Amino acid sequence: MAECLWEDNMKNPLDSITGTIVSGLILTLVLYMFLKNFILAGV
Amino acid sequence: MENMEFVPAFARWIHFLAGITWIGLLYYFNLVQTPAMKDATADGTAAGISKHIAPRALLWFRWAAVVTWLAGAALLGPNFVPAFTLQPEFAGIGIGAWLGTIMLFNVWVMIWPNQQKILGMKPATDDEKAKARRVALLASRTNTMLSIPLLFFMATGLSHPIV
């Protein structure tokens, strides 16, 4: 039941400009970590 | 300027000009036009935006996206494949290139066909227009989100020499 309640309350962050910008900043961090720790790790 | 330097310098210049046009219009849509449409619809002035402004903005938007991508590909030159296959020395700009490619796809496959329905350039029922509005909005917001890491990897030059 708790899982259902969570899903009902979920909102798409792209519905707001603020959510879009925060998502972009988080994605930047994720891709940076991916680059540093996976692609450039052995270089 | 040596001949060998001319092509990347020219490609970079065109890439910047077209990229500013593309991303500038993307930010205009997300930060200005879409929020303004709500108010314009409320006071009955939305038709002017839909008829005169949006089609012109979309024309420059979608073709600037193509020119940006082509100029970016020319700028990468022989490093095109190493960038897109995320070889370590070009991985940073490669991530940017992939993000730009996804954004170009969104413009031509997700945003433009749905905007044609919304603006009445293609026949559509009210239900189809409502669905088109949702898809176009989310695709446009996705591109705005992707532009943030895209510009980060372009600006920082992580892992790649300036090509």
Side-chain angles (χ1 to χ4, degrees), chain B residues 31-109:
Chain B
L31 300 176
V32 179
Q33 185 177 295
T34 301
M37 281 299 278
K38 289 177 187 168
D39 295 339
T41 302
D43 68 11
T45 56
I49 298 172
S50 298
K51 186 176 178 184
H52 299 293
I53 296 175
R56 281 182 173 81
L58 282 164
L59 175 73
W60 285 95
F61 174 70
R62 66 182 186 274
W63 287 109
V66 171
V67 174
T68 304
W69 193 93
L70 290 174
L75 180 56
L76 284 171
N79 302 315
F80 183 90
V81 172
F84 273 89
T85 53
L86 302 181
Q87 299 303 305
E89 63 270 36
F90 294 99
I93 198 64
I95 291 173
W98 269 112
L99 293 171
T101 304
I102 294 166
M103 290 168 67
L104 177 69
F105 175 87
N106 271 344
V107 168
W108 280 92
V109 178

Side-chain angles (χ1 to χ4, degrees), chain A residues 12-27, chain B residues 30 137-138 140-149:
Chain A
N12 190 333
L14 300 185
D15 276 326
S16 72
I17 290 295
T18 305
T20 301
I21 293 169
V22 170
S23 298
L25 293 172
I26 292 169
L27 181 60
Chain B
N30 279 273
L137 173 74
L138 288 178
S140 186
R141 288 281 166 82
T142 298
N143 274 8
T144 303
M145 175 186 73
L146 294 179
S147 73
I148 294 171

Side-chain angles (χ1 to χ4, degrees), chain A residues 35-36 39-40, chain B residues 87-94 156-161:
Chain A
L35 177 68
K36 282 289 180 191
I39 296 177
L40 300 180
Chain B
Q87 299 303 305
E89 63 270 36
F90 294 99
I93 198 64
T156 55
L158 282 169
S159 85
H160 68 89

